[in-house]
Amino acid sequence: MENILLITCFLYVSADTHTLQYLYTAVTPGLTDFPEFTAVGLLDGEQFMFYSSNNRSLIIKDSIKKTNSETYWRRETEDMRGNQDIFTNTFTTAMKEFHHRTGVHTLQRMFGCERDDDDDVTTRGYDQYGYDGEDFISLNLTTGTWTAVKPQAVTIKHTWESKGSNKYWKNFLEGDCIDLLKKYTSYSRDTLNRKVRPEVSVFQKHSPSPEVVCHATGFFPKPLNITWQKDGEDVHEDVELRETLPNQDGSFQKRSILKVSSTKLQKYTYTCVVQHSSLEKELVREVPKGPNKLEL
Ligand SMILES: *[C@@H]1O[C@H](CO)[C@@H](O)[C@H](O)[C@H]1NC(C)=O
Ligand SMILES: *[C@@H]1O[C@H](CO)[C@@H](O)[C@H](O)[C@H]1NC(C)=O
């Protein structure tokens, strides 16, 4: 299996260059643990999509899934099943051309597009196939024709060109691929730059020992400070700061617990102070003095 993933791609990506890339792999079925066909999608080098012939379903990262409708992803799943059939047919043809009837063989395809943030004109695309780890056939986007790198790819080139697949993929790489890339990157930028204010509540608990909880939730991004004050002075003792936890919707929650007797609570004014990048100034919540108040 050394041949798998021998096609490596060296993309020197600067901060403002974005890339959308797809990798397809077909492996002789039945001889290895690999599924007969797998596809992955990478945005700026990070995987956001996975498909395999094992369950024929498309798995999309949530943040990307949100950019399109359910209908769109259903159609994409159908398209991917179609791509699987076409790709495994090409694999069968290639094996025949190489007179490979036994053993483990692979066909890989790497295609995608790139663009720079500050340049709407210059984009780059590529579509390359490798058989058993060696270049096999590739799309020349200048001429819009397939280049048979190996003589065994000539028949495939002619078949594809008679069906117009060269024009179809050129259009995809120069059009839809760039549109998707823009859509996905602008969305993830908005997602990463967003700021959401925490909701803060302070409440007392009496078991097993008296304590006050300051709970912040629903905030983004993750960094948030919770501190305690007693009559305006910082309190560091008997404080238990809990880990920041993720919420279902991508926001976070965090709590800090202060161990303090009801007598002290009556005597002094305790406050919980929350700092977060979404807040213009720190948020201050006073601990209720009433001994039996459980939640505010
Ligand atoms: C595409 O074809 C043109 C014209 O034949 C050639 O100059 C160019 O090098 C080819 N590009 C690639 C990537 O092979
Ligand atoms: C949390 O406190 C540290 C230390 O005082 C400070 O550098 C940081 O900016 C604070 N974080 C937030 C989100 O306010």
Side-chain angles (χ1 to χ4, degrees):
M1 292 309 298
E2 293 85 39
N3 286 336
I4 285 210
L5 297 180
L6 263 193
I7 316 180
T8 4
C9 142
F10 298 97
L11 294 173
Y12 294 95
V13 178
S14 69
D16 49 7
T17 295
H18 294 289
T19 62
L20 180 60
Q21 183 178 50
Y22 298 91
L23 303 166
Y24 290 1
T25 307
V27 182
T28 321
L31 297 178
T32 70
D33 290 337
F34 282 87
E36 181 179 8
F37 174 81
T38 50
V40 297
L42 308 166
L43 176 67
D44 290 341
E46 255 188 63
Q47 188 173 335
F48 71 92
M49 181 209 94
F50 180 74
Y51 173 94
S52 108
S53 51
N54 283 353
N55 55 15
R56 294 173 68 85
S57 64
L58 204 56
I59 300 162
I60 308 289
K61 202 167 132 184
D62 278 347
S63 59
I64 297 292
K65 204 171 193 170
K66 282 180 199 156
T67 62
N68 279 303
S69 64
E70 288 288 329
T71 319
Y72 173 87
W73 291 115
R74 256 199 306 279
R75 218 166 41 227
E76 281 290 293
T77 307
E78 287 306 317
D79 283 357
M80 188 52 85
R81 289 173 186 158
N83 289 346
Q84 172 189 335
D85 296 340
I86 295 167
F87 196 74
T88 47
N89 280 338
T90 304
F91 184 36
T92 309
T93 310
M95 280 178 68
K96 279 197 190 118
E97 292 289 327
F98 281 100
H99 304 292
H100 286 158
R101 283 181 202 88
T102 57
V104 176
H105 300 281
T106 60
L107 181 70
Q108 288 169 297
R109 177 188 182 194
M110 184 172 78
F111 66 108
C113 59
E114 305 174 16
R115 66 179 290 272
D116 300 332
D117 254 349
D118 51 1
D119 180 354
D120 247 344
V121 185
T122 328
T123 61
R124 293 164 295 276
Y126 54 90
D127 193 348
Q128 298 159 355
Y129 285 71
Y131 181 83
D132 281 353
E134 287 183 30
D135 288 347
F136 184 56
I137 187 169
S138 63
L139 187 62
N140 184 321
L141 282 174
T142 315
T143 57
T145 53
W146 290 102
T147 307
V149 184
K150 287 271 190 299
Q152 287 87 347
V154 171
T155 323
I156 292 173
K157 166 187 160 71
H158 291 315
T159 313
W160 284 356
E161 284 174 4
S162 71
K163 287 180 182 166
S165 98
N166 49 325
K167 295 200 185 71
Y168 177 85
W169 288 108
K170 182 174 156 70
N171 282 341
F172 173 80
L173 294 170
E174 292 173 347
D176 288 359
C177 184
I178 295 293
D179 292 343
L180 284 173
L181 178 55
K182 281 187 195 165
K183 191 168 184 170
Y184 294 166
T185 46
S186 72
Y187 185 82
S188 57
R189 193 168 38 236
D190 291 350
T191 308
L192 290 175
N193 290 343
R194 79 190 196 277
K195 291 198 194 309
V196 187
R197 292 166 60 95
E199 282 169 41
V200 179
S201 53
V202 176
F203 52 95
Q204 292 178 37
K205 281 170 75 179
H206 295 282
S207 55
S209 57
E211 58 186 30
V212 209
V213 180
C214 185
H215 180 76
T217 188
F219 57 88
F220 190 92
K222 196 176 179 183
L224 173 130
N225 293 336
I226 302 181
T227 50
W228 295 94
Q229 289 187 339
K230 179 175 118 186
D231 284 346
E233 297 288 325
D234 287 348
V235 179
H236 301 291
E237 270 154 47
D238 300 320
V239 173
E240 188 190 321
L241 188 61
R242 294 281 172 83
E243 239 183 290
T244 310
L245 301 171
N247 287 324
Q248 287 280 325
D249 61 1
S251 69
F252 293 96
Q253 59 166 293
K254 186 180 190 129
R255 58 172 57 194
S256 177
I257 297 159
L258 173 70
K259 300 234 182 285
V260 59
S261 66
S262 344
T263 327
K264 277 189 167 177
L265 277 181
Q266 289 295 329
K267 198 167 164 195
Y268 307 102
T269 300
Y270 282 87
T271 47
C272 161
V273 180
V274 172
Q275 293 175 309
H276 188 254
S277 55
S278 64
L279 302 167
E280 274 176 26
K281 50 183 193 135
E282 54 194 29
L283 213 147
V284 180
R285 287 274 185 281
E286 195 169 315
V287 179
K289 289 202 180 267
N292 294 321
K293 256 188 203 161
L294 282 180
E295 189 152 355
L296 248 205

